[in-house]
Amino acid sequence: MKRSRDLSFETDRLTIRRLSKQDLPDLAAILSDPAVMRFSVRGVCDRRATRRFLDWSRDCHAIRGFGPMALIERESGEFVGFCGLVPEEVAGVEEIGIGYRLARRFWHRGLAPEAARAVLANAFDAQCLETVVAVIEPAHLASIRVAEKVGFRAFVTSRFHGRDVRLYRLSREQWREMATPVG
């Protein structure tokens, strides 16, 4: 992962940068897609809800130093979706969770795990966070696969916005162990 001065990251296929107001049309198209939002506690978002999401994202970055990040395909320059760290209250405890949403046309290309790895590397290596969680509904098999590909393993069952979820936890120590070559 290559990091630039403007708080963006690059992976092999993606540029990951802060969301901006210019992303509103592309982001609104993604967040209004019922298939993309099937497992979202927010549900399908209209343009106004998407604008509130962008404002919340900006506030997260300003207050906490992290938040949802835009995913841009490097080759085409197309807006793919977002991935980032977000504050979440799970069972009465504030956690830092990783979240991601991709436009359907970018599904099944391995871009979600690629983005999640870059976001987690930044969380543990640059921001020195101790732990990150993934909150996933048991029926959301694609999201479970992404989480497991990037290193989340064990989970506990918890409640999140009135739903039963799997709460996965990844520590900085576990992240470093995965990154350390064996032998």
Side-chain angles (χ1 to χ4, degrees), residues 53-85:
F53 176 81
L54 279 172
D55 291 343
W56 174 79
S57 172
R58 184 193 63 232
D59 292 345
C60 282
H61 282 281
I63 294 165
R64 297 174 177 272
F66 58 77
M69 305 282 284
L71 306 177
I72 309 299
E73 187 178 48
R74 288 176 61 187
E75 186 175 304
S76 67
E78 284 187 76
F79 187 90
V80 172
F82 71 86
C83 179
L85 301 174

Side-chain angles (χ1 to χ4, degrees), residues 5 10 21-22 64 92 94 96-97 111-112 128-129 147 152 176 180-181:
R5 281 183 272 135
E10 287 186 348
K21 289 181 181 181
Q22 289 73 27
R64 297 174 177 272
E94 185 172 283
I96 298 170
L111 293 172
C128 300
L129 297 180
F152 289 94
R176 287 182 175 161
T180 304

Side-chain angles (χ1 to χ4, degrees), residues 90-128:
V90 183
V93 177
E94 185 172 283
E95 303 276 8
I96 298 170
I98 187 165
Y100 34 84
R101 295 268 187 269
L102 275 63
R104 258 195 287 174
R105 70 182 178 282
F106 292 103
W107 290 4
H108 309 294
R109 295 189 191 179
L111 293 172
E114 185 173 323
R117 276 187 206 98
V119 167
L120 287 168
N122 183 61
F124 293 124
D125 300 336
Q127 296 190 19
C128 300

Side-chain angles (χ1 to χ4, degrees), residues 18-180:
R18 288 185 184 183
L19 287 164
S20 71
K21 289 181 181 181
Q22 289 73 27
D23 296 323
L24 180 61
D26 292 321
L27 187 60
I30 292 169
L31 298 183
S32 67
D33 183 335
V36 172
M37 300 304 285
R38 179 176 170 207
F39 294 100
S40 170
V41 296
R42 288 184 181 90
V44 172
C45 295
D46 61 12
R47 196 171 179 90
R48 185 170 29 178
T50 302
R51 201 174 288 115
R52 284 193 307 269
F53 176 81
L54 279 172
D55 291 343
W56 174 79
S57 172
R58 184 193 63 232
D59 292 345
C60 282
H61 282 281
I63 294 165
R64 297 174 177 272
F66 58 77
M69 305 282 284
L71 306 177
I72 309 299
E73 187 178 48
R74 288 176 61 187
E75 186 175 304
S76 67
E78 284 187 76
F79 187 90
V80 172
F82 71 86
C83 179
L85 301 174
V86 294
E88 300 280 15
E89 186 173 317
V90 183
V93 177
E94 185 172 283
E95 303 276 8
I96 298 170
I98 187 165
Y100 34 84
R101 295 268 187 269
L102 275 63
R104 258 195 287 174
R105 70 182 178 282
F106 292 103
W107 290 4
H108 309 294
R109 295 189 191 179
L111 293 172
E114 185 173 323
R117 276 187 206 98
V119 167
L120 287 168
N122 183 61
F124 293 124
D125 300 336
Q127 296 190 19
C128 300
L129 297 180
E130 288 300 321
T131 187
V132 174
V133 300
V135 181
I136 306 171
E137 289 190 42
H140 198 340
L141 300 179
S143 191
I144 289 169
R145 282 192 298 274
V146 170
E148 290 176 350
K149 282 181 183 179
V150 300
F152 289 94
R153 297 285 181 263
F155 66 89
V156 296
T157 301
S158 190
R159 297 286 290 167
F160 181 70
H161 293 272
R163 301 176 183 196
D164 288 330
V165 295
R166 290 179 171 194
L167 177 65
Y168 292 84
R169 183 175 305 281
L170 184 64
S171 71
R172 182 166 23 147
E173 182 178 327
Q174 290 168 318
W175 177 258
R176 287 182 175 161
E177 287 172 3
M178 287 187 305
T180 304

